[in-house]
Amino acid sequence: MNRENFGSKLGAILAAAGSAVGLGNVWRFPIETGQNGGAAFIIIYIMCIITLGLPIMISEFLIGRYTHSNTAGAYRILSDGSPWKWVGRMGVFTGWFILCYYAVVGGWTMHYTFLSLTNAFAGVPATQFGQIFEDFTANPWIPSLWFILFIGITHFIITRGVQSGIERFSKIMMPTLFIITLLLTFCSLSLPGAADGIEFLLKPDWSKVNSTVVLAAVGQAFYSLSLGMGCLCTYASYFDEKTPLAKTATHVAIIDTFIAVMAGFIIFPSMFNIGMNPNEVGAGAGLAFVSLPNVFQQALSGSPLLAILFSTLFYFLLFVAALTSAMSLHEVATAYITEEFNLSRRKGTLIITGTVLILGLLCSLSFGPLSGIQLFGRNIFSLFDDFSGMVLLPLGGMLISIFAGWRLDRQLYRNEISNGGDLRTPYFKALIFSLRYIAPLAIGLVFLDQQGAFNFLKH
Ligand code: PFF
């Protein structure tokens, strides 16, 4: 079958960075950093990226590029008929599964962009933002329609293929995201009281660092870099033989971390400006859709136009970040179904979009008409969210590192990362050591921690 490749190295980097930079950078990283020791957390986070994020990312790149196949095909080719082929299939499933709820949130970002643009938050009392969000998500129609629009846009891009779809749009959207980030950072830093926000984010407080904080850094690094499933492996299957794998991975990690830190520069100065204590705010949807719209309104209440502009740009930023990640999730499943079942891209994309539509609607409606359907005390949306974040991703990451460290042929590995001997690879031994021992152990501990295995130590 004739496969497309990315047309340029820059396109490859921006597409992979688009997958990595997502909601996790904006609504999880800043809060985790602020609450877990500021710069101390950032240093630990960067160490996690170097010792475990990069080795796994390079391995996922390698597996994709070596086989030039979708993720299920890639592991099948490399596993010689052994059960390791299931790791690839699980990666495909994970991507598709995450997309079902991730696209629902993508729809929310569009709705909040629209509300900001139409100045719907002006004059709303601080206590009302929670109710506005609850009413919105409980509505049987509005969030579902935004979700359909979001997945429709993702579909439109993916159906156009690798170069004129993913690459072209990444080349437009990633610079846009970058410029908006810088604009918002600049604006937020010029607010009175901004220094307190920067101090909260950056002041190192090593006394807060304990094993839980380290595990939080591992989990965040992992989620933020889109590791543990098929995204990066699938994108790398469109890399050409000259793409330097380790360098590309490093660029992606730097872009991802930069945007995450900048998100902190956007959020905290405005929070401190209105006297809100970030320690009392949780990460996630509550931060993005309840606390922040209020923060932006109040911090910029002196200039209504600036408040509209700031808030609109912020939610548009979230939308773009979510869209480029959703594209990568969709592509994992689309590449799988088109290649494994010999379908046209059009048909393959349609099937994936159709299935995501059905399950995504269930997720979307689970805050309203379907809120009665609960399992383990969670609604459908949270089941998707927690099952992927707490089970599928860590399990996938652990299996990928074991596969790459113990099962992949060493010569093949070295040959691939050196591009057939063209590049020097002084880090090779350290990389393999991490894949064999450090990564599986660290991810295993995160996994156990998330299941509550260490709760008895925390009192
Ligand atoms: N890395 C993205 C984020 O930080 O939000 C999103 C993401 C994509 C997470 C793919 C996980 C994943 F498997």
Side-chain angles (χ1 to χ4, degrees), residues 19-20 22-25 98 102 223-226 229 231 325 329 393:
S19 172
L23 298 166
N25 297 59
I98 291 180
Y102 203 84
Y223 183 85
S224 192
L225 293 175
S226 301
M229 29 90 68
C231 279
S325 296
L329 293 162
L393 285 179

Side-chain angles (χ1 to χ4, degrees), residues 37-322:
F41 181 84
I42 296 182
I43 291 170
I44 295 173
Y45 178 79
I46 291 175
M47 276 165 46
C48 289
I49 289 203
I50 294 172
T51 54
L52 146 183
L54 283 178
I56 298 184
M57 198 193 296
I58 292 169
S59 305
E60 293 199 27
F61 277 173
L62 184 150
I63 291 167
R65 192 196 46 189
Y66 177 73
T67 55
H68 287 296
S69 174
N70 70 86
T71 303
Y75 282 82
R76 192 188 53 243
I77 292 168
L78 288 169
S79 63
D80 294 328
S82 72
W84 282 105
K85 62 174 180 273
W86 284 97
V87 177
R89 294 175 185 172
M90 188 174 119
V92 173
F93 176 77
T94 306
W96 170 81
F97 194 77
I98 291 180
L99 182 60
C100 295
Y101 81 86
Y102 203 84
V104 172
V105 184
W108 296 352
T109 64
M110 293 175 83
H111 180 64
Y112 271 64
T113 308
F114 175 75
L115 290 182
S116 305
L117 192 65
T118 51
N119 204 15
F121 297 134
V124 173
T127 49
Q128 277 303 303
F129 284 90
Q131 195 59 45
I132 291 178
F133 181 59
E134 255 178 47
D135 290 347
F136 161 61
T137 50
N139 185 292
W141 293 104
I142 304 174
S144 302
L145 290 173
W146 285 113
F147 158 70
I148 293 171
L149 186 60
F150 183 87
I151 199 72
I153 297 172
T154 314
H155 175 92
F156 169 79
I157 295 170
I158 294 301
T159 206
R160 295 173 66 105
V162 175
Q163 277 197 19
S164 41
I166 298 170
E167 181 169 2
R168 189 155 149 233
F169 282 88
S170 299
K171 276 183 166 166
I172 300 171
M173 287 192 282
M174 291 311 285
T176 308
L177 184 139
F178 197 72
I179 292 170
I180 297 179
T181 305
L182 291 183
L183 268 177
L184 291 177
T185 306
F186 178 75
C187 184
S188 190
L189 288 181
S190 58
L191 287 171
D196 294 335
I198 299 171
E199 192 181 315
F200 179 75
L201 182 70
L202 292 186
K203 193 169 165 217
D205 181 357
W206 291 98
S207 72
K208 288 216 175 123
V209 175
N210 55 26
S211 59
T212 313
V213 169
V214 175
L215 292 182
V218 175
Q220 174 63 17
F222 213 71
Y223 183 85
S224 192
L225 293 175
S226 301
L227 300 176
M229 29 90 68
C231 279
L232 298 180
C233 177
T234 304
Y235 272 5
S237 72
Y238 308 126
F239 288 0
D240 66 21
E241 306 308 324
K242 291 216 174 72
T243 306
L245 300 183
K247 203 166 155 190
T248 306
T250 310
H251 284 148
V252 172
I254 290 174
I255 296 174
D256 189 63
T257 309
F258 177 78
I259 299 282
V261 173
M262 288 298 126
F265 283 151
I266 296 172
I267 292 172
F268 292 128
S270 19
M271 260 192 193
F272 275 89
N273 178 268
I274 69 160
M276 186 183 273
N277 181 358
N279 282 314
E280 285 161 13
V281 180
L287 168 75
F289 300 109
V290 179
S291 308
L292 289 182
N294 171 38
V295 168
F296 298 152
Q297 281 311 308
Q298 290 196 38
L300 298 165
S301 59
S303 164
L305 200 65
L306 203 61
I308 295 178
L309 198 70
F310 193 95
S311 187
T312 307
L313 280 179
F314 178 81
Y315 287 106
F316 188 68
L317 170 79
L318 265 187
F319 161 68
V320 174

